[in-house]
Amino acid sequence: LALVALATSPPLLLIARAYRPRLRAQSRDVRRLESAALAVIHEVLGALRVVKVFGQEEREGDRFVRRSDEGVRGRVRLALGEGRFSVALGLLVGIGTTLVLFLGIAHVQAGTLSLGSLLLVMGYVAKLFDPMKTIGRKVATLQGYLASAERAFAVLDQEPDVDERPDAQPLERARGSITFEHVSFSYAPDRRVLHDVSFTIAAGTSVGIEGTTGAGKTTIISLLTRLYDPTEGRVLLDGVDVRDYRRADVRRQFAVVLQDSVLFSASIAENIAYAVPGASRDGIVAAARAANAHEFIERLPQGYDTEVGERGVKLSGGQRQRIALARAFLTDSPVLILDEPTSGVDAHTEAAIVEALGRLQEGRTVIIISHRPSAVARCTAMLTIERGRVVADTS
Ligand SMILES: Nc1ncnc2c1ncn2[C@@H]1O[C@H](COP(=O)(O)OP(=O)(O)O)[C@@H](O)[C@H]1O
Ligand SMILES: [Mg+2]
């Protein structure tokens, strides 16, 4: 009898094994579909103003419903799969129990087993199958969790766009001289964005870059900060190819202020100290003063502890730019990059930013991309980029 009862366990395990990959694949599908639906929300919240201005709320709503629908269908498929799995398990346990019962009854009738003993055996059999059923059910749930974990790890393990050489050298603090040597670059095959770009920026000088929209100015910055690597040519920092340094070390050499600075939903102080989490309050205030941000921060209800809303929407564009500038001050990197820092602000704010910039330029290499003559007035050289080529270089 014991043998019969035990004989049912290998098939039980086999069923669990057969269903495992299927359940895992379906769970994976569900996670992917649900992520897709959430991505819509994320995008829409990120660009809420754009969605609203263009009156696309309804279409975005539809897009979310469509993606969610797919997620729901995936969930139903998964539930069906899990259902079939537990039916199979239940069936097997049932057959096992029945077999033991039939054999037991035959033995009782033949007189080799007392009825009491048979009942006892049935009790044991039930005890044996219970944990097996539990294991079977856990296998199903576990597959779901494993699929979630897989997805999380996939995000964390995403390969960076640029590799680090195994023999990459460390870089403490660069002096800040920058050279582009015959650099060409394309984001997609056959669509060159930069053509044979060469220029040199001496350490401690400031260079303005001008050029129409789409000329390739931001791309130059992306290559310099190693968000991408050139298709041809080399980018040198202190005379060494940036690919020869450790990636994190290269990035640490730059402080970047973008056209529309994103703030994180945290306090103003935390936003300024973003790259230097352990910064003292004095350091933060000094940076804010230098960036002409101290006055307006002081006027806020909780001063430096004021929480900026989701993506910093509670502050004006000019205020956010000045906080970004304070962040750059505090980061204290040898190279400062400003990509159209004043294009979204009024003349008064621009004057405050430009004045702060004068202070920030002290002892640093500075690259300012701007159409505004006032923003690049202090630059020692100008670079003009048109359609991915350098057309003028006054250095
Ligand atoms: N991530 C990207 N993927 C593909 N093409 C891009 C990407 N970023 C920019 N481009 C293209 O590269 C060209 C140069 O863009 P960009 O460097 O942003 O110009 P600028 O900053 O001078 O306005 C444009 O034609 C733009 O469409
Ligand atoms: Mg740009």
Side-chain angles (χ1 to χ4, degrees):
L1 283 186
L3 281 181
V4 172
L6 285 177
T8 40
S9 26
L12 215 57
L13 291 178
L14 280 181
I15 291 191
R17 168 163 293 192
Y19 267 92
R20 209 160 52 194
R22 282 188 39 198
L23 289 179
R24 174 87 72 100
Q26 282 175 337
S27 298
R28 218 180 271 148
D29 250 11
V30 168
R31 295 292 181 281
R32 189 178 51 73
L33 292 169
E34 286 173 351
S35 293
L38 285 180
V40 175
I41 296 193
H42 190 226
E43 262 169 47
V44 168
L45 288 182
L48 199 53
R49 256 179 256 184
V50 181
V51 174
K52 277 191 182 296
V53 168
F54 290 102
Q56 296 299 313
E57 291 97 328
E58 205 164 309
R59 201 182 74 192
E60 293 296 344
D62 287 349
R63 201 150 71 95
F64 176 63
V65 168
R66 208 164 50 239
R67 295 273 179 88
S68 311
D69 263 0
E70 288 166 13
V72 167
R73 273 197 289 276
R75 273 243 174 256
V76 170
R77 274 199 302 278
L78 178 63
L80 284 177
E82 280 176 357
R84 276 200 293 273
F85 177 53
S86 57
V87 165
L89 272 183
L91 213 60
L92 202 68
V93 169
I95 290 172
T97 317
T98 315
L99 270 176
V100 172
L101 191 58
F102 267 108
L103 281 171
I105 287 174
H107 282 291
V108 169
Q109 279 171 345
T112 51
L113 194 73
S114 74
L115 191 58
S117 301
L118 175 61
L119 288 179
L120 201 63
V121 169
M122 291 311 291
Y124 287 146
V125 167
K127 277 227 179 334
L128 174 68
F129 283 150
D130 260 353
M132 281 202 220
K133 271 199 279 196
T134 315
I135 290 173
R137 269 198 302 274
K138 291 290 180 243
V139 165
T141 17
L142 188 63
Q143 295 315 312
Y145 292 133
L146 285 177
S148 298
E150 258 177 22
R151 199 158 175 89
F153 283 120
V155 171
L156 292 176
D157 290 345
Q158 191 119 76
E159 281 287 312
D161 285 321
V162 294
D163 299 328
E164 182 159 283
R165 290 189 178 162
D167 55 346
Q169 46 177 304
L171 173 63
E172 196 49 45
R173 187 183 171 89
R175 275 176 291 111
S177 72
I178 293 160
T179 305
F180 271 56
E181 254 181 24
H182 304 292
V183 170
S184 295
F185 180 73
S186 51
Y187 287 99
D190 302 333
R191 257 200 82 240
R192 280 263 162 110
V193 173
L194 294 181
H195 308 264
D196 195 21
V197 170
S198 295
F199 61 85
T200 295
I201 302 175
T205 63
S206 53
V207 168
I209 300 183
E210 59 178 7
T212 48
T213 304
K217 306 181 295 293
T218 301
T219 304
I220 288 180
I221 300 309
S222 303
L223 293 178
L224 179 56
T225 52
R226 256 207 112 194
L227 296 180
Y228 300 96
D229 281 333
T231 318
E232 278 164 47
R234 302 197 301 161
V235 177
L236 310 177
L237 178 63
D238 285 1
V240 176
D241 193 324
V242 287
R243 285 171 289 197
D244 291 338
Y245 292 122
R246 295 207 189 119
R247 198 172 43 223
D249 283 351
V250 170
R251 302 246 169 98
R252 238 180 344 99
Q253 309 303 320
F254 304 101
V256 182
V257 177
L258 300 175
Q259 177 172 1
D260 193 12
S261 294
V262 177
L263 300 186
F264 302 93
S265 24
S267 70
I268 296 218
E270 286 170 296
N271 265 290
I272 293 176
Y274 182 64
V276 193
S280 70
R281 183 51 68 102
D282 285 348
I284 292 173
V285 172
R289 274 187 202 281
N292 282 334
H294 181 71
E295 287 72 28
F296 86 79
I297 294 173
E298 285 281 84
R299 278 200 302 274
L300 293 171
Q302 275 107 38
Y304 283 84
D305 296 316
T306 307
E307 292 287 322
V308 297
E310 188 81 11
R311 291 174 72 91
V313 282
K314 280 193 221 149
L315 296 174
S316 75
Q319 289 173 330
R320 273 184 284 143
Q321 279 318 64
R322 277 177 283 173
I323 288 179
L325 216 52
R327 187 188 283 165
F329 259 112
L330 195 62
T331 308
D332 191 30
S333 56
V335 183
L336 171 67
I337 298 167
L338 302 107
D339 192 348
E340 316 207 19
T342 61
S343 57
V345 305
D346 58 64
H348 176 72
T349 312
E350 178 176 29
I353 291 176
V354 168
E355 200 240 347
L357 250 178
R359 273 194 290 273
L360 201 45
Q361 268 166 255
E362 290 284 314
R364 291 193 175 83
T365 307
V366 181
I367 301 176
I368 307 176
I369 297 176
S370 182
H371 304 292
R372 306 257 186 116
S374 51
V376 291
R378 289 212 183 105
C379 292
T380 45
M382 283 303 298
L383 205 60
T384 310
I385 308 289
E386 274 323 326
R387 278 184 247 104
R389 293 172 205 279
V390 179
V391 295
D393 181 354
T394 68
S395 64

